[in-house]
Amino acid sequence: MALTLAEKIIQKHIVPGSLSFTPGTPIERGTDIAIKIDQTLTQDATGTMAYLQFETIGIPRVKTEVSVSYVDHNTLQTDFKNQDDHRYLQSIAAKYGLYFSRPGNGVCHQVHIEHFGKPGKTLLGSDSHTPTGGGIGMIAIGAGGIDVAVAMGGGAFHLAMPKVFGVKLTGRLRKGVGAKDIILEVLRRESVKGGVGAVYEYFGEGVASLTVPQRATVTNMGAELGATCSVFPSDETTRNFLESMGRPQDWTEQKADEGAVYDKLIEINLSELAPLAACPNSPDAVKTVQELKDTVVTQVAIGSCTNSSLDDLAAVAAIVRGKHIAPGVEAGIAPGSRTTLLMADKAGILGDLIRAGFRILESACGPCIGMGFAPNSQGVSLRTFNRNFKGRSGTADAGIYLVSPETAAASAIIGHITDATTLSYEDDSYKDGIKVSLLEGKDTRLSAEEIRKDAQDEGMLIPPLDEKAAAQVEILRGPNIKPCPPCKACEDKLVLPVLLKAGNNVSTDDIMPAGTKVLPFRSNIPEISKFTYERIDPDFYKKAEAIQFSGCFVVGAENFGQGSSREHAALGPMYLGVRAVITKSFARIHKANLINYGIIPITFKDPADYDKVAAGDMMEISGIFSSLKEAKPFAITVHGKDGDVHIEGVNDLAERSRNILLAGGLAAYTRNGGQ
């Protein structure tokens, strides 16, 4: 029977003996599966906790084919904390056999696709945008740090067999329309929760017209759909990209079987796409750029793991060459990697950007996570990033729009939101109407061979030590690095107050903010927990402290926990005593992180029951042991001001997840021999 590409790669990685299935036939959707992980990545905002957990496993060396520790999130060093974390991460990499990507080497996803990603392989990363790797034909999934720690130790990654949604692309993008517009169109149709439990697989004649960086833009931002991951086939374009990175041996063809059947089909004619923008404060609040054309812009930021490749910078340079950014607009650009920065310099692109008035920012996440380059108060900032949640930029009242590099560049020089297709400019990265990469040798100013020489420079990547040398390494720990606190034991009955009631689309930024104030404490759970839920209720920590962290519940609505993979959004609540979160629906990664830290994720059987609970009510969950052991619904009683209300909570947890909760979290489950 014909299989999709996602199914083919997943089936090749099913852990032997973990599942009875017939190879070559579809696995039933929703089935709990265990897959072998070939590669892992971490970044510094989540990596320190992942490695603290890996140390407790007691394995002397990682067991994956490739594991990489990146420093790209918290590179702003205002005191000792961040640099101490960087030194800890470098010593861990040396001790346990990982590559270490130094600060300044670039954003993890772009560096990984340039130097390590391989078609047909699996990648697990402690960052929600790990699906970027799908741009070269990988099954690349974001997860919590403890899941990545288990994978580094040779353990399987468990998930429900996802649905596979096919996205058929026809036609080709017009000049002035970017790959960002493809994924914004998908988000416009599907919403930020439309992809929960699914893989988006792109196919069709239109795929051939997209460069690998363009494909990676689409798979990267597929995370905003709530999807498990997204994937493109690996074809001749992929081969050319890997050759340009000096890795021709890593290419293999990867494609769906002829006649593969998808659980849902979406069709997009690239030729008909217009420039789009996601309006504040959600990636799916999409309008055409033409609808917004009179909006005055005060800031433009180009970069992030979504749109900071050489191709992206070339598209911007083509529009701004010989021009200057408009008065009243501040513009910054962060190349996605040191490799990209070097190649942009060699190709003359960097000079074009500087002459146009762009500030050149560090090759790091930077403003995407609120680490500098915040917009002015009540400003309008156009960003080529992947998220525009309220306050994420560092300025709570700014209007953040997500756009393509083409739209950002056009708007920077005009001064208001501008459709790049309406401008007259020459872009020599188009040949016969098709966008091509500078690395394919189509640039008229410099040969591709000359440009890509700098792609071979790996001086900022430190390779693993051999086992003998690694044994002599001392792990360096600063005073801000604290052990991960243990989870509380599972109890059969909980009678606790509802300390918080939240609405729809609560993000992990709302639960545990990023930014300059919070991220330095990512290795110190007692300190970082003080910021838990502060964007929803600034007094949450004080309320938890007032009851001596003895325990509480949190109630939410739809798509609770969307956004980042940061497990601190579960660690902080766990430390403050949150024992269960009851919602209408959860985002995938956050739900998994809650389970890993012993917090029971429950959904209302009747969504209308959400209205029967108020903050401050006492809530009782009884018979928890039997619910978890026997997969029975959760019995919940709300002791409200108008009397008792009995409601039912859905128990849709896989057997392994239930056992993790019974054990008191994934760490305890693993120590007790759980797989």
Side-chain angles (χ1 to χ4, degrees), residues 301-587:
I302 295 169
S304 90
C305 54
T306 318
N307 280 118
S308 57
S309 69
L310 183 64
D311 289 359
D312 292 319
L313 303 194
V316 173
I319 293 171
V320 304
R321 189 173 295 129
K323 304 178 183 67
H324 202 279
I325 60 171
V329 176
E330 182 182 39
I333 195 159
S337 68
R338 179 171 176 267
T339 293
T340 295
L341 183 61
L342 289 168
M343 291 191 296
D345 179 44
K346 183 66 72 66
I349 292 168
L350 190 59
D352 290 333
L353 299 175
I354 293 171
R355 281 186 288 273
F358 280 93
R359 292 170 55 183
I360 306 303
L361 310 178
E362 186 175 19
S363 293
C365 298
C368 182
I369 55 167
M371 298 298 286
F373 206 70
N376 58 294
S377 58
Q378 298 183 339
V380 171
S381 179
L382 268 60
R383 300 180 161 214
T384 67
F385 305 164
N386 40 46
R387 290 185 177 139
N388 60 346
F389 303 143
K390 184 177 176 61
R392 181 179 170 92
S393 69
T395 304
D397 63 358
I400 308 300
Y401 294 78
L402 305 178
V403 298
S404 70
E406 293 86 348
T407 298
S411 303
I413 60 173
I414 300 300
H416 54 77
I417 296 180
T418 301
D419 183 337
T421 65
T422 65
L423 300 184
S424 176
Y425 65 95
E426 291 190 11
D427 185 346
D428 52 18
S429 64
Y430 280 82
K431 183 176 177 63
D432 300 325
I434 299 177
K435 174 77 171 178
V436 295
S437 171
L438 295 186
L439 297 176
E440 295 178 26
K442 306 301 191 301
D443 184 62
T444 58
R445 288 169 286 127
L446 201 66
S447 74
E449 184 177 357
E450 289 177 290
I451 294 171
R452 65 176 171 244
K453 281 179 182 176
D454 287 314
Q456 317 308 322
D457 181 352
E458 297 185 351
M460 295 289 278
L461 275 172
I462 300 176
L465 295 177
D466 62 42
E467 293 186 42
K468 183 177 180 181
Q472 306 304 312
V473 172
E474 177 186 357
I475 295 174
L476 305 175
R477 304 177 200 277
N480 188 50
I481 298 176
K482 307 294 184 184
C484 183
C487 302
K488 294 179 174 63
C490 185
E491 298 179 53
D492 189 47
K493 181 178 179 180
L494 295 169
V495 184
L496 300 168
V498 176
L499 222 56
L500 178 73
K501 184 177 181 182
N504 290 328
N505 297 320
V506 168
S507 73
T508 48
D509 284 80
D510 296 323
I511 301 170
M512 182 61 71
T516 56
K517 184 173 72 171
V518 181
L519 276 183
F521 296 109
R522 63 190 176 274
S523 308
N524 187 336
I525 300 306
E527 283 300 315
I528 205 171
S529 69
K530 295 176 181 178
F531 302 96
T532 303
Y533 297 120
E534 73 165 13
R535 289 188 179 171
I536 305 171
D537 180 357
D539 294 324
F540 184 85
Y541 179 83
K542 291 180 181 178
K543 292 176 181 177
E545 186 180 38
I547 59 174
Q548 300 179 323
F549 311 119
S550 57
C552 63
F553 298 125
V554 167
V555 171
E558 296 283 2
N559 199 28
F560 190 88
Q562 69 165 334
S564 167
S565 68
R566 68 190 72 158
E567 61 189 347
H568 295 76
L571 273 164
M574 180 272 289
Y575 185 78
L576 299 186
V578 176
R579 305 304 304 275
V581 178
I582 306 95
T583 72
K584 294 182 181 181
S585 66
F586 287 94

Side-chain angles (χ1 to χ4, degrees), residues 245-261:
M245 291 291 110
R247 300 194 290 128
Q249 72 282 359
D250 288 342
W251 181 79
T252 56
E253 184 180 34
Q254 303 289 331
K255 61 181 181 179
D257 291 335
E258 190 72 30
V261 177

Side-chain angles (χ1 to χ4, degrees), residues 15 35-38 40 54 57 59 61-65 67 147-157 675:
V15 174
I35 60 173
K36 176 183 180 295
I37 297 300
D38 300 316
T40 67
F54 180 77
I57 296 175
I59 293 172
R61 196 170 180 86
V62 296
K63 295 185 177 182
T64 50
E65 295 175 9
S67 284
D147 284 317
V148 177
V150 169
M152 287 190 291
F157 178 64
Q675 300 295 317

Side-chain angles (χ1 to χ4, degrees), residues 40 42 46-64 66-69 88-89 91-98 124 126 144-155 470 475 477 482-484 567 597 666-667 670-671:
T40 67
T42 60
T46 58
T48 49
M49 196 53 60
Y51 295 117
L52 285 167
Q53 292 156 341
F54 180 77
E55 287 185 85
T56 67
I57 296 175
I59 293 172
R61 196 170 180 86
V62 296
K63 295 185 177 182
T64 50
V66 172
S67 284
V68 190
S69 174
Y88 169 75
L89 293 169
S91 65
I92 282 284
K95 185 75 172 178
Y96 292 108
L98 293 90
L124 193 71
S126 63
I146 194 168
D147 284 317
V148 177
V150 169
M152 287 190 291
I475 295 174
R477 304 177 200 277
K482 307 294 184 184
C484 183
E567 61 189 347
Y597 289 100
L666 182 57
T670 303
R671 284 195 299 271

